[in-house]
Amino acid sequence: MNGWIFILVCLTILIWAALCLVYDKRPRFLRPVTAITILCIWVAALWTLIRRFTEGLGAVTGMNDNAPWGLWIGVDVFAGVALAAGGFVIAATVHIFRIKRFEPILRPTVLTAFLGYILVAVALFIDIGRPLSWWHPLVMWQEHSIMFEVTWCVILYSTVLAIEISPVVLERLGLTTLLRLVKTITIPVVIAGVILSTMHQSSLGSLYLIVPEKLYPLWYSPLLPVFHLLSAVAAGMCVIIVESFFSSKILRRGLESSLMADLGRAASIILFLYLVIKLADLAVRGSWVLILEQNLQSNLFLLEMLGGVVLPAILLSFRRVRKLPRGLLAASTLVMMGIVLNRINICWFGMSVSDQLHYIPTWMEIAVSLGSITAGIIVFFLAVHYLPVFPKTEEELPGAVSPLPNAA
Amino acid sequence: MTKNQHMTDTSAFNRRRFLQGMAGATGLSVISPSSLNAHLPAHAETPSVLVDVTRCIGCRSCMRACKNANDLPNDTDLSKGFPHSWDRQELRFDQWTVVNPATGCNADGTEVTRNVKTQCMQCLDPTCVSVCLVGALTKSELGPILYDADRCIGCRYCMMACPFDIPKFEWKGGMSPVIGKCQMCTRKRLAEGRIPGCVESCPTGALKFGQRDTLLFEARARIKTRPERYLNHIYGEKEAGGTAWLYMSDVPFESLGFKSDLETAPMPPLTWEVLNKIPMVAAAMAGLFGTLAWSLNRRESLDSQESPDNQETPE
Ligand code: SF4
Ligand code: SF4
């Protein structure tokens, strides 16, 4: 119980801190309070991890024999991978489709994706029962398993991201020969990254193809891989918007608002596409009637679809909303929360028998998730501080930076 | 089954899988849908057990025998609740079979209680084997599905995917927990030509061990001679593509808690059909994006040659 109060307090403070940034209010105690909160979360997470590695998963998580996958898989891995999808979208935009306008946000986006995948890898290391055997999939092959394919794609794609982000470090260290080498292989590497991402983003959905009678029919569909890929692309773009917004606030730099508006528009189109396919799929399989059931699953499904897809898709389709940084931010946050809810629904509520939940997460699981997210954010800003991630001066981007957003 | 077949060393099988893995690691592995099953005995010859639910008195001898046969801790009081009804027991990583009273409903609406034994069904086309990414779960040459803790990474996908919810996990296992499930005494008893521990211990003949086609024949014969005693449904004959454990009963299986919404087609193709398209899609994407990037890049460099100071188009 005390643990839950602790989590609630921490969450409230973090949300308050984010809102302060959004509304340009910077009370003097903002920094110390946030820092202390994050430290407390880390201590709790560390303590949880020590117990997890000494006693076992059952000692700290709510997972059990009837619910083998919990929040760490649903949020840290499934949602984490989806939210990091922006990396391959922007890399493809710049390097394959050669739309050079997006170059200013390429590096921060790839950095976000890279850190995201590191967090996913850490989460997997914590969550798999026998962490010391993490390397087994590399030498023990079972090509019939979707999990095998996902594992390989994630490992290879993390390597791709490391190569894509390496110029930042190489530039800083002044290693020009290596830098030139990386530049020459960039396009093939980016293409490999796009293929690998398409494969594992969709395959995370395919993981559930094997449980047609276990996953609630509102989510089970032969099209799961398509849904996972589309939603990840949309959410990945929204993460870029949110990330750019907050870095513009924290680093006190301009916001590439025309690029953000374009991203918002693209996300809206993809969300509508997702919605159409989803509705068609529900109609064809006849499972749409379950929406009217008014049980736990149908309510969560409605929340996810209306709040995370329909509403932001409509909001983002208005030019007026896209012009306002805060409007963009709000809609993008909705999309992000929608996709997190979707992954939680699939891995938790959708796999439970109607109203009987086999699994309730513990506060310690949430502490670890929060700890890893905050660690990711802090490492991001440290990297931005010490490495040439953002373009040096704003004059380098004529037309891209508008002075308006901070005043809005 | 001849004694010779029983003697087949299961480690030879594991060695082969390992070699396959090595071949894969060097890029030699040929991905083919049949490679998982190519070396297996015909389904008809698979060692199987026929469970006659009407004959089970719920004595739980098989539970004890299972623990002894597999060196599992035998410290649970299985007779708690006597004499009215046993306390319910669940499958655990160290309890591979359970017998529980289940109250079902006859066709005419009368309530009846039967004792139902649960354990791994030893699917003919096992879902767990198809999902395990490191090959820790394998179908042995004898037929039953074996688990190898030394390969397992503990991802628990097998638990999530098994249509019968059989594999269980050692939740308090620190850094090296294991998955536990019935392996039909393959390594210790079948390989020596002995029958599974539970079958040996059953005092009423509710369990019968044999070749799958023989048992199916026997079950059909029992149904035919005593149609008033048995339902005309052998559970496991078709469920999830067929299982080695077969059940017959006088009470509808669904009302006794058996899963009734399973397809008769095997489950592994559900993912394999997506998986086997991936190489093609990946190749197509590589070609498409490669051409695109190359041609756009070329046009760019041509453009920049013409007007060197106008490399970027603003909108
Ligand atoms: S019942 Fe489950 S654990 Fe047993 S063989 Fe079938 S899929 Fe595997
Ligand atoms: S938990 Fe072990 S046996 Fe089960 S799928 Fe994962 S690696 Fe295979």
Side-chain angles (χ1 to χ4, degrees):
Chain A
M1 205 58 228
N2 290 336
W4 280 107
I5 295 172
F6 166 71
I7 292 292
L8 275 181
V9 171
C10 290
L11 262 179
T12 320
I13 295 177
L14 290 182
I15 294 173
W16 165 78
L19 287 177
C20 281
L21 286 177
V22 172
Y23 288 102
D24 285 319
K25 302 254 176 346
R26 295 179 194 237
R28 230 175 327 117
F29 46 88
L30 175 65
R31 260 173 181 248
V33 168
T34 322
I36 290 172
T37 313
I38 291 180
L39 275 181
C40 289
I41 295 177
W42 286 358
V43 170
L46 202 68
W47 182 71
T48 309
L49 288 184
I50 291 173
R51 287 191 59 196
R52 180 262 168 269
F53 285 121
T54 49
E55 294 165 53
L57 282 168
V60 288
T61 72
M63 290 187 277
N64 56 65
D65 278 337
N66 294 316
W69 284 358
L71 225 51
W72 285 346
I73 291 281
V75 175
D76 294 36
V77 178
F78 290 170
V81 167
L83 293 174
F88 89 89
V89 176
I90 297 302
T93 312
V94 173
H95 287 297
I96 300 180
F97 299 108
R98 317 296 296 178
I99 308 180
K100 289 293 181 64
R101 286 188 300 126
F102 284 91
E103 203 142 13
I105 58 166
L106 178 63
R107 283 186 170 183
T109 307
V110 172
L111 177 65
T112 316
F114 180 59
L115 294 177
Y117 273 81
I118 289 183
L119 292 184
V120 167
V122 171
L124 278 172
F125 184 81
I126 296 168
D127 187 84
I128 60 173
R130 305 166 71 91
L132 296 182
S133 314
W134 67 269
W135 51 274
H136 281 185
L138 298 179
V139 291
M140 302 176 184
W141 287 29
Q142 206 286 84
E143 331 73 61
H144 290 249
S145 168
I146 292 266
M147 191 68 102
F148 173 78
E149 188 239 312
V150 172
T151 314
W152 266 92
C153 284
V154 169
I155 291 173
L156 290 177
Y157 184 55
S158 306
T159 318
V160 163
L161 282 172
I163 298 177
E164 285 180 15
I165 200 66
S166 64
V168 174
V169 183
L170 297 178
E171 252 171 46
R172 172 77 212 224
L173 299 178
L175 299 168
T176 33
T177 0
L178 262 179
L179 199 61
R180 229 174 297 133
L181 180 76
V182 171
K183 282 232 165 88
T184 50
I185 59 167
T186 298
I187 291 184
V189 165
V190 168
I191 294 179
V194 174
I195 296 171
L196 290 168
S197 295
T198 316
M199 280 164 70
H200 73 263
Q201 293 285 1
S202 57
S203 292
L204 284 176
S206 310
L207 283 179
Y208 282 85
L209 288 176
I210 201 81
V211 286
E213 63 329 305
K214 286 199 210 171
L215 182 58
Y216 202 74
L218 283 175
W219 291 287
Y220 186 86
S221 152
L223 293 182
L224 268 170
V226 178
F227 293 142
H228 271 240
L229 179 62
L230 281 180
S231 55
V233 170
M237 294 179 175
C238 292
V239 170
I240 302 175
I241 297 177
V242 174
E243 174 253 299
S244 304
F245 182 90
F246 281 107
S247 13
S248 81
K249 293 291 179 191
I250 291 180
L251 308 171
R252 296 171 199 266
R253 53 189 298 285
L255 182 70
E256 295 85 352
S257 47
S258 75
L259 293 186
M260 294 304 130
D262 287 350
L263 278 179
R265 189 151 150 236
S268 149
I269 294 171
I270 291 176
L271 285 175
F272 273 122
L273 185 65
Y274 175 87
L275 186 66
V276 169
I277 306 182
K278 183 88 204 172
L279 290 179
D281 173 67
L282 287 174
V284 168
R285 286 181 305 108
S287 22
W288 63 271
V289 283
L290 292 171
I291 300 176
L292 313 172
E293 282 282 290
Q294 302 226 339
N295 56 11
L296 178 70
Q297 278 85 357
S298 73
N299 289 338
L300 283 167
F301 180 80
L302 279 179
L303 183 64
E304 166 200 326
M305 289 306 283
L306 295 179
V309 180
V310 179
L311 181 62
I314 294 176
L315 282 178
L316 287 172
S317 65
F318 288 113
R319 190 177 253 263
R320 293 253 301 279
V321 178
R322 293 202 303 269
K323 276 247 158 79
L324 284 173
R326 278 179 206 145
L328 263 177
L329 178 76
S332 306
T333 313
L334 280 180
V335 176
M336 281 172 59
M337 294 197 314
I339 202 168
V340 173
L341 182 59
N342 171 261
R343 301 306 194 253
I344 292 180
N345 279 341
I346 289 179
C347 124
W348 176 11
F349 299 106
M351 291 291 281
S352 311
V353 188
S354 55
D355 52 346
Q356 183 191 336
L357 292 183
H358 292 304
Y359 163 77
I360 305 286
T362 63
W363 68 269
M364 291 176 277
E365 285 176 83
I366 298 177
V368 170
S369 297
L370 276 182
S372 95
I373 297 167
T374 45
I377 294 174
I378 290 196
V379 172
F380 177 86
F381 284 107
L382 282 179
V384 166
H385 187 77
Y386 288 107
L387 299 169
V389 172
F390 283 101
K392 259 181 235 88
T393 52
E394 285 155 20
E395 288 83 53
E396 279 178 11
L397 327 157
V401 180
S402 116
L404 265 177
N406 285 331
Chain B
M1 275 238 156
T2 63
K3 172 130 191 185
N4 233 347
Q5 263 173 304
H6 285 315
M7 294 296 286
T8 323
D9 184 7
T10 47
S11 71
F13 173 70
N14 291 333
R15 197 157 52 233
R16 180 181 314 172
R17 277 223 57 92
F18 181 70
L19 289 177
Q20 260 180 18
M22 294 306 284
T26 50
L28 292 172
S29 96
V30 183
I31 301 180
S32 79
S34 51
S35 69
L36 272 186
N37 298 328
H39 53 281
L40 299 176
H43 288 165
E45 287 163 23
T46 302
S48 296
V49 179
L50 177 64
V51 186
D52 189 334
V53 172
T54 65
R55 289 195 196 180
C56 178
I57 55 169
C59 65
R60 289 184 165 170
S61 304
C62 53
M63 286 181 70
R64 277 172 248 266
C66 175
K67 295 185 176 207
N68 291 337
N70 296 293
D71 299 324
L72 300 171
N74 204 346
D75 48 9
T76 325
D77 180 6
L78 297 180
S79 53
K80 240 202 191 142
F82 183 81
H84 305 291
S85 146
W86 305 130
D87 279 4
R88 206 183 148 74
Q89 286 289 327
E90 301 292 344
L91 290 178
R92 291 194 310 260
F93 80 97
D94 58 356
Q95 178 159 288
W96 296 349
T97 185
V98 292
V99 176
N100 282 313
T103 302
C105 210
N106 257 330
D108 55 13
T110 47
E111 277 204 345
V112 279
T113 299
R114 293 286 174 269
N115 299 292
V116 177
K117 181 178 186 303
T118 313
Q119 73 296 307
C120 169
M121 297 289 282
Q122 311 295 357
C123 304
L124 300 182
D125 208 340
T127 311
C128 57
V129 172
S130 85
V131 300
C132 178
L133 74 169
V134 287
L137 290 161
T138 46
K139 197 160 161 66
S140 67
E141 290 188 337
L142 291 172
I145 284 77
L146 302 183
Y147 169 70
D148 180 358
D150 290 337
R151 296 181 79 104
C152 177
I153 63 168
C155 68
R156 313 186 294 285
Y157 192 19
C158 50
M159 307 173 68
M160 200 280 256
C162 167
F164 300 100
D165 290 323
I166 296 301
K168 300 298 176 203
F169 184 72
E170 185 181 4
W171 290 101
K172 294 269 167 76
M175 285 291 263
S176 50
V178 294
I179 291 281
K181 76 164 197 73
C182 156
Q183 300 165 66
M184 229 175 170
C185 296
T186 306
R187 289 192 181 101
K188 286 212 179 126
R189 301 176 63 104
L190 291 198
E192 293 168 6
R194 293 195 290 156
I195 66 172
C198 54
V199 181
E200 196 179 72
S201 75
C202 179
T204 64
L207 306 178
K208 183 165 183 177
F209 180 79
Q211 242 177 247
R212 190 165 186 269
D213 54 350
T214 327
L215 291 182
L216 275 176
F217 183 80
E218 161 140 12
R220 284 200 202 99
R222 283 191 208 168
I223 293 171
K224 201 147 205 177
T225 47
R226 306 279 304 275
E228 75 291 349
R229 176 164 177 156
Y230 294 110
L231 288 172
N232 190 12
H233 178 186
I234 305 170
Y235 190 92
E237 184 185 6
K238 302 222 172 77
E239 277 75 10
T243 61
W245 281 74
L246 302 163
Y247 288 75
M248 48 195 314
S249 162
D250 56 343
V251 186
F253 287 106
E254 185 175 5
S255 77
L256 289 178
F258 285 72
K259 260 182 110 163
S260 60
D261 49 358
L262 290 170
E263 297 283 335
T264 54
M267 321 268 292
L270 284 174
T271 43
W272 177 248
E273 260 153 36
V274 176
L275 210 44
N276 69 7
K277 301 217 170 59
I278 287 177
M280 233 169 56
V281 175
M285 284 178 73
L288 182 73
F289 288 129
T291 330
L292 198 66
W294 181 76
S295 54
L296 290 178
N297 208 357
R298 209 173 107 90
R299 210 177 65 197
E300 246 168 53
S301 51
L302 288 182
D303 283 355
S304 65
Q305 269 167 19
E306 278 162 21
S307 50
D309 42 22
N310 191 16
Q311 286 194 357
E312 277 177 26
T313 39
E315 278 299 308

